[in-house]
Amino acid sequence: MVIAVISAVWVTASAGLALVVGRSIRQADERAPFTDHLAGLPAELTVADVLGARATQPSH
């Protein structure tokens, strides 16, 4: 009986947490209109976006 109660509480808590996390992800997606909805990255990602401004390194 104790195992059944613990299992029921565990399932209820994890389902609630999943709903909260899912809602948070949906809100973040709605607030970021210029990002790709699949990866959370800019729609037109370039190498410069990833690497940023880099100083040229002298070769030896």
Side-chain angles (χ1 to χ4, degrees), residues 26-52:
R26 281 192 295 276
Q27 279 184 342
D29 193 39
E30 291 170 1
R31 293 181 183 177
F34 299 109
T35 58
D36 179 8
H37 70 283
L38 296 175
L41 298 172
E44 295 183 15
L45 188 64
T46 64
V47 173
D49 292 332
V50 174
L51 298 179

Side-chain angles (χ1 to χ4, degrees), residues 2-4 7 10 17 19-20 23-24 29-30 38-40 43-44 53 55 57:
V2 174
I3 294 174
S7 297
W10 182 262
L17 182 63
L19 290 173
V20 169
R23 178 68 182 152
S24 299
D29 193 39
E30 291 170 1
L38 296 175
E44 295 183 15
Q57 300 289 327

